[in-house]
Amino acid sequence: MSASSPSADAAGETAQGFDLLHQGWLPVLAVNGDDVPPVGLVELLVNAHKFRRIAGETPPMTAALYRLVLAFAHRVYGPSDDEAWSNLWRPVELPLDPLQEYLAKYPGRFDLFHPERPFLQCPALTSCSMSSTAKLVAFRAAGNNVTLFDHTTATDRPLLSPAEAARWLVTVQAYDTGGTKTPYRNVKSSEKAPCNQFGCVLVEGATLKETLLLNMPVYNPKRQKPDMTTATDRPAWEEERPPNPEPGEPRVPDGWTDLLTWPSRRILLSPRTAGDNTVVDGVVITPGTRLRSELQHIELMAAFQRPPKKPRSKTRMPFSPVRLREHQGVWRHSQELLLAGDPDHQRPRTLDELSERMEELIPESTEFTLRVFGQQLKPDGGAIECWFEEEVPAPVALLRAQDSRVGRLIGFAVTLADNVGRALRDMVISYRKEFQAYRKEDHTKYTRDLDLAYWPNLPQPFGTFLRGLGAALRSGGAEMPVVHEWSGAVRRVAHRAAEYWIEHSPDQARGVFMAGKVHGAFTGSLESLINRFEAETRHYAIGEEQT
């Protein structure tokens, strides 16, 4: 199917427009947690103090919608300097006048089906054949895009409402898989969209209004703020003309809002009328603009770490972004996410600027949440394996901390969990080797159930550890009790995981004997690891006797 214009159906009947400013498409929760009808961009900002958060159908969608809304909010409100940020933070509501002034400059730019400038789309793709909307929806299967969630066939043409199509349009630009796409002419290959490369970190406050401001650094393109921003920075909808259907040469972003709305794909939706409604029954997705820049220098919502330096090497390894991994949890990267001042870790740069403002505006007893979103692709990058949304408590006292010993304490706590997890896996491997049944390539299969019994039970006690450490920093109190509580939690979780494995191991006589043997060895290793952890932390923590 091809269309004569982006808002005409096969019969030539004009489909209705869909105004993203005023029609409901952004899914939100009320402050009390209740579901409310989707809202447009204008209501989202005007009533941001009444909403708790944006909540998409998938974690990548939520992250992508936040990034688009942040770009919109930056262009409306700036803030141009710290004083302007403070003037936005103190009132209950965001002001209406800057929003009205901004929208007056860009009439028609937010119509999803505009005949000349459809939002975040490329109208020149009308010459291409439309594909099923299943290619737009990440949990639908179409062609080579096999998923675990759906059994749609390539011939099925699911219908999407304009609101659904808009949400997935934004998500695909940020999180589309790589690989072969429908070519506009000759270019078929596309890189995975940029947000697949890192865990997207959002600082979450008590309301959506707070959350938006907490993630908005000073934005002043004329003064090159943030420091990766130029005077020509603008989001995709402000471009003077629609994007060229050819992807062109890779380029460096013009600035922060350019990156937040990066055109990683050229897309065109195919709407048609269905009774009194407009539906989307097809889509074209072709390769878009490739990103040419190191993420460390441009991405403000990611944390970075250096791998350990190789023995005898004088040079440091380059930074790599923190990513979410299945089972193990983003809390393991709390040092990179929360703390400043470590040459081998770089927390999200939004937090660096935010921590400077906290002294005057935000009480030290405040606790925010770092909500981290991620998507893991299969090794070839062409299909989705899983996605994540995880939380890490962020006490203001930790965000302000400049003392390197705090990083040591958190680092030791994470290392304890890693070492105990490794000891659990070694227990299983030792058991398999006793029966000459271990193959290295089957390592994940042998240890998967044990990992599931161990790692998912640690985020909650680690959150308690972070909160306790923040409270001790704030009051100048003892930190060793917090350390003891964490090691005790790791001991309990590890024992339960090991006992789970024992209960599910073979019940033959020799199997029971060997299971008991390796379990006994693990128990000894566990106590040794905990003793070493407490000895190491005692050098850095304030103990009971020092308070």
Side-chain angles (χ1 to χ4, degrees), residues 22-168:
H22 301 288
Q23 293 184 261
W25 67 286
L26 291 164
V28 291
L29 299 177
V31 169
N32 63 5
D34 289 347
D35 290 324
V36 295
V39 298
L41 282 163
V42 169
E43 185 178 353
L44 186 84
L45 293 189
V46 170
N47 290 322
H49 58 292
K50 297 180 181 179
F51 301 131
R52 179 71 179 90
R53 58 187 298 256
I54 296 172
E57 285 116 285
T58 69
M61 176 184 286
T62 302
L65 294 178
Y66 265 115
R67 288 172 72 86
L68 180 128
V69 170
L70 285 169
F72 183 66
H74 270 305
R75 297 302 283 183
V76 172
Y77 297 115
S80 59
D81 53 34
D82 287 337
E83 183 180 359
W85 191 93
S86 300
N87 290 337
L88 291 170
W89 178 264
R90 289 190 178 98
V92 173
E93 304 176 21
L94 291 171
L96 182 59
D97 288 349
L99 177 59
Q100 293 175 330
E101 291 170 8
Y102 177 76
L103 295 179
K105 299 176 185 177
Y106 299 101
R109 295 295 178 89
F110 296 88
D111 186 347
L112 191 65
F113 305 131
H114 193 281
E116 298 173 359
R117 293 293 302 265
F119 185 77
L120 293 190
Q121 296 167 71
C122 179
L125 298 184
T126 51
S127 61
C128 299
S129 296
M130 291 285 168
S131 299
S132 166
T133 54
K135 288 194 173 182
L136 196 67
V137 181
F139 50 74
R140 290 261 171 84
N144 294 326
N145 179 29
V146 179
T147 79
L148 298 175
F149 311 104
D150 183 69
H151 300 286
T152 305
T153 68
T155 58
D156 289 339
R157 302 188 69 87
L159 300 180
L160 301 179
S161 70
E164 290 174 310
R167 293 193 292 269
W168 284 112

Side-chain angles (χ1 to χ4, degrees), residues 1 7 39 47 69 103 171 181 291 448 450 454:
M1 170 184 171
S7 55
V39 298
N47 290 322
V69 170
L103 295 179
T171 306
K181 306 293 176 184
L291 192 63
R448 180 181 178 86
L450 196 55
Y454 176 67

Side-chain angles (χ1 to χ4, degrees), residues 122 124-125 183-188 243-249 263 266 286-290:
C122 179
L125 298 184
Y184 172 68
R185 286 189 182 141
N186 299 316
V187 180
K188 298 181 180 180
N244 191 312
E246 293 289 355
E249 294 298 318
R266 302 291 187 261
T286 71
T289 307
R290 292 177 184 250

Side-chain angles (χ1 to χ4, degrees), residues 67 194-195 197-198 217 226-230 233 251-260 262 290-302 304 346 348-350:
R67 288 172 72 86
C195 290
Q197 302 177 55
F198 60 94
D227 59 15
M228 46 76 72
T229 297
T230 69
D233 179 53
R251 67 177 179 86
V252 175
D254 289 331
W256 183 221
T257 65
D258 183 16
L259 182 62
L260 288 172
W262 189 256
R290 292 177 184 250
L291 192 63
R292 183 170 62 85
S293 190
E294 293 184 20
L295 278 177
Q296 182 208 348
H297 302 307
I298 60 172
E299 181 53 59
L300 309 185
M301 297 177 74
F304 297 85
Q346 178 180 303
R349 280 190 277 168
T350 48

Side-chain angles (χ1 to χ4, degrees), residues 185-215:
R185 286 189 182 141
N186 299 316
V187 180
K188 298 181 180 180
S189 176
S190 61
E191 294 179 347
K192 57 189 177 185
C195 290
N196 286 297
Q197 302 177 55
F198 60 94
C200 183
V201 182
L202 186 83
V203 189
E204 191 172 79
T207 67
L208 180 59
K209 185 239 181 186
E210 286 191 4
T211 297
L212 294 178
L213 289 173
L214 291 170
N215 293 277

Side-chain angles (χ1 to χ4, degrees), residues 480-541:
M480 281 307 295
V482 180
V483 169
H484 294 319
E485 188 175 358
W486 167 244
S487 62
V490 173
R491 178 188 282 113
R492 290 190 298 274
V493 171
H495 274 307
R496 284 198 298 266
E499 289 165 3
Y500 169 86
W501 176 78
I502 287 283
E503 291 171 2
H504 292 81
S505 60
D507 58 3
Q508 297 92 343
R510 188 181 173 214
V512 171
F513 172 76
M514 291 310 308
K517 179 181 175 181
V518 297
H519 179 265
F522 162 73
T523 300
S525 296
L526 174 62
E527 293 307 313
S528 176
L529 290 169
I530 288 175
N531 290 337
R532 188 173 73 188
F533 163 71
E534 298 213 350
E536 289 171 333
T537 52
R538 201 168 285 115
H539 291 292
Y540 296 94

